[in-house]
Amino acid sequence: MSVSTSLTSRTLTARRVIRILITAAVVLSVVAPSVSFTESASAADQFDSMRLRHVNDLTGTIAGSDGVGSTAAAVRRVDDAARLVWGSLNTAATGSEEIWSDLDTHDFSDLAVAFHRVESMALAVGTPQSTLHDNIQFVGDTIAAVDWLHTNRYNPTTPKKAAFWWFYEIGIPLAFNDITALLYPHLSQTQVASFMDTVTYFAPAPKNTAANRVWSAYVVGLRAVLSKQPSTLKTAVEAMRPALSLVTAGDGFYADGSYVQHLHHAYTGGYGISLIQTVSRFYYLLQGSQWQPTDAAGLSIYDRVQDTYAPVTSCGGVMSVVRGREVARSVSQDDAVGVTLQSAVLRLAEIAPATYAAKTKRAVKHWLDCGSNNSTSIESAGGVADVVRSRLLLRDSSVSSAAVAAGAYAFNGMDRFVFNGTDYAFAVGMSSSRIAGYEALADENLHGWYTGSGATYLHLGEGSPYSHDFWATANPYRIPGTTEDTVKRGETNGRTYLSGQSFAGGLASPAGSRGIAAMSYDADGNNLAAKKAWFVFEDRILAVGAGITSTNMSGNGWDGKATRIETTIDDRIVTAGGAELRLGDTTVPLGSAVSALTRWASIEGPGEHVGYVFPVATTVKAQREQRTSSWNAINRLESTAPASNVHLTLTVNHGANPTNSSYSYILLPSRSAQQTSDYARNPDVDILASGSGFVAAYDRRSRTSGLVSFDGAHHLVQPTGSPWVSIDGAAIAMVEEDQTSYTVTVSDPTQLSTTPIVVTLGAETSEYHASSSAVSWSSGGGQTAMRFSPGGLRGRPLTISVVKKPAPPAEFTIVGQLVVTGDTVYGGTLSAKVPGVTPKPDSTHYQWYRGGTGVSGAVGQSYPLKAADVGQVMSVRVTLAKVGVKTMVLSSAPTGVVRPLRFATTPVPRITGTRASRRRRSSCSD
């Protein structure tokens, strides 16, 4: 968000806004119109060219700026910001007074505020379309203001104070350099040299790590451009590279996409945003010069867009789960930070080498498309250059708009897990002996106690639900996903706490379509311990808590009631048009809380739909309340103006001093109440185990098992319709089954394992393909054992795919023998009497044999004996066939020799009886 927007959109004083930006360590671009800077670079040397290029970037004078329509709204933001601070400027102040009465510029933090106020004025001076650009009085007052600050407060005679190093080494020089560049045509060379000598005094050379190093290098680099010092510029460019290189510990980028700052804090969306914004400005300035980075190390920032930033950006907003203490800043809510990221990546995309350009543009175009209606967007808060670049990209039909970071991401370097689904995003913030639960610093994030204690973040639809003043009004004792003691905590309580537990992390399936996260939680300041796991099966998220145990609980908690252990399932705000909170068939009205034994709950409204299903009927408390607070309650630099939201909360009460208590629920993103109710009647996710040492689940739809072994012991489960699976060793494991193979993925969330993790399947396999030599395989005796050696991998997963060994087919069961019946004589008929057969064959084929040779065409169950059979023995073979059953051939015993057909012998006939006499024939007359 630009400074001007933050000043006009809230009742914050300019002092608070600028101090927030400074403390945030994010110096965002302010806006200006799309016109050319008045000084021509045609005859200037290369340093003048770089300076002008930088000024044009600040003022939005870039290619295409004259063909994207009006940017008047952005120009007004420049004017508004400048007029706001000009109106309270004391132009007659002496060195013992203050040029702004609300500041004490002897304090470096207030001095930084003053420099940023002058910077906003300088931007208006340098912006030709600003109404203040040609205002002689305004221009003179701007120059006088920077001269006053330099003469009276910030020069080589000013004592350095170590506690304020960031302000005088980075924050103030960043502003001072830009002021000098913007006012350059109005300054004498003596002024320029004097200003740059002061920057050199406070920031002589690049130093520090990660974002602080990038800032430091940029301060030195831009100072070198303004002072025309080639060797210093070379030093600055080279000094930036270590901050872009991958690290294995401490601050910086990790191979798995994590970004850590201050050693123990996940900060992709905080310091990481400042880093990429600063790199983009520095690279844009250097483009086309001999110092332009072209090496792999220098260009690796483009890889970080894809593997570090894109996965934690949902619909244009940067997720709170990776924003550290900056969640406590009103001007740095998720959507606003997304605008800063879009600004940086748009700038990088414009100058990207061909190998990176297309995918970089696709990423930012998706954010622009999806986030066009966010509470803060490029159009409403970006600089003119940002508006121009975004409009040009959105009009470019050759660039597709598609999500570039879909699926699961396990950021084990910073104890974070993210899943980007088709219509939702889900994230888990964890902590361990490596990563702290939260950071509180400089009077901000005072109540961030549980934001890294297994906190879950569910993003649905457009815009972040964690914008809209969510963090100002949320109950800090009821952070979604967490299991906590209701004991009352003080501001910044536990801010230096590192857990004694090393078990925290996750894994993603090789295709990214599924993932698991888990942590062993031990709370700060009490005896609460719990095992927590999340299984993401595409569009269903199973959350399981086990071994929830606490002792010695007493007294009353934050709500005045006896302390107890609670799990907060969710806490959402109503962002658009109202939403209905239902606990089963009961609707919860505003100002009410309902507790009931239920199998499901839902939140349904025009902004979002989400269902909650309880595999085991659970007593759940649903509350709908109007909460009013202020940003000042969590950040002393903020306004006390009230902020208000309607919060919808679901919690489970485990009581006081629970022993091995548990919970389980399934999140159904984008499901209506009816769909949730229907699913609750027939869920397809099974909990196979839920104990303090082992948690396991099975997704029947995808035939995927998830196993989390906290204690490292031997554990075995039997999924429905799949082989049994066991695990030995503390690990997270996933077993995916398809028609021909099993894919097993394992990670070591402790990052300490020195012995192999063994996963065994109750099925033999015939071959394997492993992702690493750290995986081995053996199969036999009806099972397959896979050994994973994760030592030194720092949580990186190992994967093996094993091919199913075809199971031996079933066989027919025969009761009796195949028998030939009938008389073995020529002309007779033989029949095959088949014995009892189980299962019933699909087909039965007969073949008759004469003396061991098949008789052609004799394939019926009966066979008439022929002349050729005489003198031969006969037999029959019967072939039984059925799908899935081994074909069987039955052979009969041979018959006796076939006999010829013989005539029967009969006596010679004899004539018997008396011979009669012969009569003479008499003659007759007429």
Side-chain angles (χ1 to χ4, degrees), residues 120-483:
S120 69
M121 296 174 68
L123 184 61
V125 171
T127 300
Q129 288 187 0
S130 167
T131 59
L132 298 172
H133 170 66
D134 294 323
N135 186 314
I136 296 175
Q137 182 66 48
F138 177 76
V139 174
D141 287 349
T142 302
I143 297 172
V146 69
D147 272 333
W148 188 95
L149 291 174
H150 179 246
T151 300
N152 297 293
R153 299 291 188 268
Y154 190 72
N155 56 63
T157 67
T158 304
K160 298 178 181 179
K161 299 178 182 179
F164 296 90
W165 71 269
W166 190 91
F167 294 102
Y168 61 71
E169 289 184 13
I170 294 175
I172 294 172
L174 284 170
F176 207 177
N177 280 346
D178 279 350
I179 291 167
T180 305
L182 289 162
L183 296 181
Y184 197 89
H186 304 281
L187 300 175
S188 68
Q189 288 303 303
T190 299
Q191 284 175 303
V192 171
S194 181
F195 291 171
M196 293 301 98
D197 284 346
T198 295
V199 173
T200 302
Y201 168 72
F202 283 104
K207 61 188 217 180
N208 302 311
T209 60
N212 286 323
R213 185 174 188 86
V214 168
W215 273 320
S216 179
Y218 181 51
V219 164
V220 173
L222 184 51
R223 184 249 295 170
V225 169
L226 296 170
S227 302
K228 302 185 178 182
Q229 298 173 337
S231 61
T232 303
L233 180 57
K234 179 181 178 182
T235 297
V237 173
E238 292 176 347
M240 188 175 287
R241 286 186 174 85
L244 304 181
S245 301
L246 298 180
V247 300
T248 58
D251 293 352
F253 294 107
Y254 288 67
D256 65 5
S258 298
Y259 179 83
V260 172
Q261 191 83 36
H262 293 171
L263 300 178
H264 304 296
H265 301 279
Y267 256 123
T268 309
Y271 285 93
I273 296 297
S274 302
L275 184 152
I276 193 172
Q277 177 76 320
T278 305
V279 169
S280 74
R281 286 209 180 279
F282 200 8
Y283 279 20
Y284 191 83
L285 175 149
L286 297 170
Q287 183 72 9
S289 75
Q290 68 188 74
W291 297 279
Q292 173 186 341
T294 57
D295 60 300
L299 296 178
S300 65
I301 190 65
Y302 289 97
D303 297 316
R304 303 294 83 79
V305 170
Q306 307 297 321
D307 59 31
T308 297
Y309 296 100
V312 298
T313 303
S314 177
C315 221
V318 177
M319 299 179 186
S320 287
V321 71
V322 292
R323 298 206 300 107
R325 73 178 191 276
E326 296 187 19
V327 297
R329 298 171 182 166
S330 62
V331 296
S332 298
Q333 299 187 59
D334 287 12
D335 291 345
V337 176
V339 169
T340 307
L341 176 62
Q342 293 161 35
S343 167
V345 179
L346 281 166
R347 188 176 294 107
L348 287 170
E350 182 180 328
I351 60 174
T355 52
Y356 290 105
K359 62 181 180 181
T360 304
K361 291 177 180 178
R362 283 197 300 270
V364 71
K365 189 171 187 177
H366 171 70
W367 300 336
L368 292 168
D369 273 343
C370 192
S372 60
N373 295 321
N374 287 359
S375 58
T376 306
S377 66
I378 285 281
E379 288 290 341
S380 68
V384 167
D386 306 328
V387 172
V388 171
R389 290 178 178 123
S390 67
R391 291 178 184 176
L392 290 172
L393 180 58
L394 289 171
R395 295 176 184 181
D396 188 349
S397 60
S398 69
V399 179
S400 63
S401 173
V404 295
Y409 290 82
F411 298 111
N412 292 333
M414 60 180 180
D415 289 356
R416 296 296 188 265
F417 173 87
V418 172
F419 186 90
N420 291 303
T422 55
D423 55 3
Y424 79 97
F426 174 76
V428 184
M430 298 171 284
S431 53
S432 66
S433 55
R434 303 174 301 275
I435 298 296
Y438 81 111
E439 182 180 55
L441 192 65
D443 288 331
E444 60 182 356
N445 203 26
L446 304 175
H447 300 161
W449 313 304
Y450 304 135
T451 49
S453 300
T456 57
Y457 304 76
L458 181 61
H459 298 253
L460 299 168
E462 293 183 352
S464 170
Y466 308 101
S467 294
H468 309 282
D469 296 333
F470 175 89
W471 293 108
T473 61
N475 185 339
Y477 293 98
R478 286 179 169 167
I479 301 300
T482 62
T483 300

Side-chain angles (χ1 to χ4, degrees), residues 782-843:
Q783 62 185 36
T784 297
M786 292 150 287
R787 296 169 64 87
F788 302 82
S789 300
L793 296 180
R794 297 181 175 85
R796 181 169 63 86
L798 295 168
T799 298
I800 183 172
S801 292
V802 291
V803 178
K804 290 182 177 179
K805 186 175 183 179
E811 295 186 357
F812 289 107
T813 300
I814 307 299
V815 180
Q817 293 183 335
L818 176 62
V819 176
V820 176
T821 62
D823 192 6
T824 55
V825 63
Y826 169 63
T829 298
L830 302 181
S831 296
K833 183 178 180 181
V834 179
V837 179
T838 304
K840 182 180 179 180
D842 293 336
S843 65

